[in-house]
Amino acid sequence: MSVKLLPIDAGWVRRMAVLADGPWTREVVESALRAHGWAGPDPVVWDPGEPHHLPGEAGEAGDEEEGPTGWKLELGEPPPADPGEAPEPHSFVALPFALLWPPPGLLDDDWDDEEEEDDLDEDYSAAWARRPEAGPEEFHAEFDRVGTLVRELLGPPTRTFGVPGDEVRREIWDRGPMALVLAMDDDVPTYSHYDRIALTVRPSSSAGWTEEG
């Protein structure tokens, strides 16, 4: 097993909290992404379902000659243009920062740690700290570490799902119509190749855990 970590700190948490405190409009969110250094001077190309690669790393997604890009900020449906318009349920900005391979649910009696390898590892740049001998214990510890950072900034979560040791965990800080969510679940962009932990800003109404996320 192995764990990959994007070493985020309280500054990263504050930036996500700024997004959650809104207003949640496309102009404001894109301006915030640029202010945080998470987007270049041009408007963000909001392509739902496709990771948005933060600047400062060579190459593009899937560009093998240039090598892997760094952090991948996942974007859902774009925020509305009109401040009076309600966002789509799947309008979000997600910052994945921890990946566990393989997910515990994939392990079976035939699994061989010495023969199996994480064939997506090279898709992630050196910005990700590799811990090749780490497993679920270290993965859950990272959830708790970042949860502590959010608590120090925003106080206790308003809602929680799951308990330590569960494969699905979610802590939610409701911020009016939006919420800051710390979630451990499947990594959908890699078709569940990993379990992941992410900080996400999304509508409070769709922040609770469901099978659809």
Side-chain angles (χ1 to χ4, degrees):
M1 303 190 81
S2 66
V3 170
K4 282 189 280 290
L5 302 175
L6 181 64
I8 68 172
D9 58 18
W12 291 72
V13 172
R14 282 194 297 272
R15 294 179 190 121
M16 293 298 287
V18 166
L19 290 181
D21 287 339
W24 191 255
T25 65
R26 184 161 184 166
E27 180 180 4
V28 170
V29 172
E30 290 183 345
S31 293
L33 295 180
R34 289 192 289 271
H36 297 336
W38 291 351
D42 296 330
V44 173
V45 177
W46 206 284
D47 189 2
E50 294 296 326
H52 169 64
H53 295 267
L54 301 185
E57 297 284 341
E60 300 294 338
D63 188 343
E64 295 181 359
E65 293 184 1
E66 294 291 343
T69 51
W71 307 299
K72 299 178 180 180
L73 200 66
E74 184 184 343
L75 305 179
E77 295 296 325
D82 185 346
E85 183 181 348
E88 295 290 333
H90 288 283
S91 177
F92 64 82
V93 172
L95 173 64
F97 61 86
L99 299 169
L100 172 67
W101 177 87
L106 292 183
L107 296 174
D108 57 32
D109 293 339
D110 297 325
W111 184 265
D112 187 337
D113 278 330
E114 295 183 358
E115 293 184 4
E116 301 288 347
E117 63 180 31
D118 177 1
D119 55 359
L120 296 185
D121 182 65
E122 62 186 21
D123 292 346
Y124 294 83
S125 77
W128 290 80
R130 271 74 168 180
R131 301 186 62 182
E133 303 302 322
E137 182 176 347
E138 291 84 357
F139 189 62
H140 281 267
E142 186 66 4
F143 183 99
D144 294 335
R145 183 187 73 84
V146 175
T148 296
L149 294 177
V150 183
R151 284 173 170 80
E152 290 173 349
L153 180 66
L154 302 179
T158 50
R159 290 180 277 166
T160 62
F161 297 83
V163 298
D166 287 354
E167 292 182 25
V168 175
R169 298 174 63 186
R170 191 166 292 198
E171 296 183 344
I172 300 167
W173 286 263
D174 291 296
R175 312 293 292 171
M178 304 301 292
L180 180 63
V181 184
L182 176 63
M184 174 190 295
D185 48 26
D186 290 341
D187 184 42
V188 174
T190 60
Y191 299 96
S192 301
H193 182 83
Y194 299 104
D195 276 0
R196 82 170 187 187
I197 307 171
L199 270 177
T200 303
V201 176
R202 64 185 309 149
S204 290
S205 59
S206 63
W209 185 80
T210 66
E211 290 290 348
E212 291 75 31

